[in-house]
Amino acid sequence: MTRILATICLCLLPALAGKPSLAVAQETPAAEVPAVAAEKPAPYDARLLRLSEIIGSVHYLRTLCKDENADSWRQSMQELLDKEAGSEAQRRARMTAAFNRGYRTFASVYTACTPPAVVAEQRYRAEGATLASEIVARFGN
């Protein structure tokens, strides 16, 4: 459980509270990841998937609005994948899919940086910060 505390605090809270390209790709093909007999889901996995989706959404909106730090969101997601999923291929795939779903959802709605897109980004970032804080408070050591 301490890995979630380190992950959220070091990677995401600063980005969610402040500022943050395209979809996150899995760096290691599933064939190269060592097979694990049974991956146990963490009790916070549902929240972590929602957080991944939010990061994908914010990443798209920041990129759309030409934020100079937009790529930091993709990098934060990559760090989250590395720390939380490690060599768990199925967990990594679920988190990547959630990020991509968030990204694609907003890509289908916003094609230009408009005031509603800016508001959506702010709201999602606030939701992500709240979610990250809740995960840390409930599951961190």
Side-chain angles (χ1 to χ4, degrees), residues 4-134:
I4 186 67
L5 178 62
T7 301
I8 298 296
C9 289
L10 296 176
C11 298
L12 298 177
L13 283 178
L16 287 168
K19 307 248 182 206
S21 234
L22 301 180
V24 172
Q26 288 181 269
E27 289 184 358
T28 307
E32 294 179 19
V33 175
V36 177
E39 293 179 1
K40 288 186 188 178
Y44 51 84
D45 270 359
R47 290 176 178 93
L48 201 56
L49 290 175
R50 177 62 183 149
L51 185 59
S52 298
E53 189 172 350
I54 289 169
I55 294 169
S57 299
V58 172
H59 174 61
Y60 174 78
L61 292 168
R62 289 279 178 147
T63 301
L64 181 68
C65 291
K66 312 246 187 278
D67 184 284
E68 62 186 41
N69 297 318
D71 199 51
S72 67
W73 290 91
R74 188 194 55 74
Q75 292 168 355
S76 292
M77 185 62 202
Q78 189 61 57
E79 290 175 24
L80 183 63
L81 283 169
D82 293 343
K83 291 178 181 169
E84 278 300 314
S87 62
E88 300 173 65
Q90 291 175 347
R91 193 168 193 219
R92 180 176 283 274
R94 286 191 301 272
M95 291 173 66
T96 300
F99 177 91
N100 291 338
R101 183 174 45 255
Y103 187 97
R104 283 191 303 269
T105 297
F106 277 91
S108 69
V109 175
Y110 295 104
T111 58
C113 185
T114 61
V118 172
V119 169
E121 183 273 330
Q122 292 169 344
R123 288 182 179 165
Y124 267 65
R125 195 165 28 92
E127 181 185 349
T130 299
L131 187 55
S133 296
E134 288 173 359

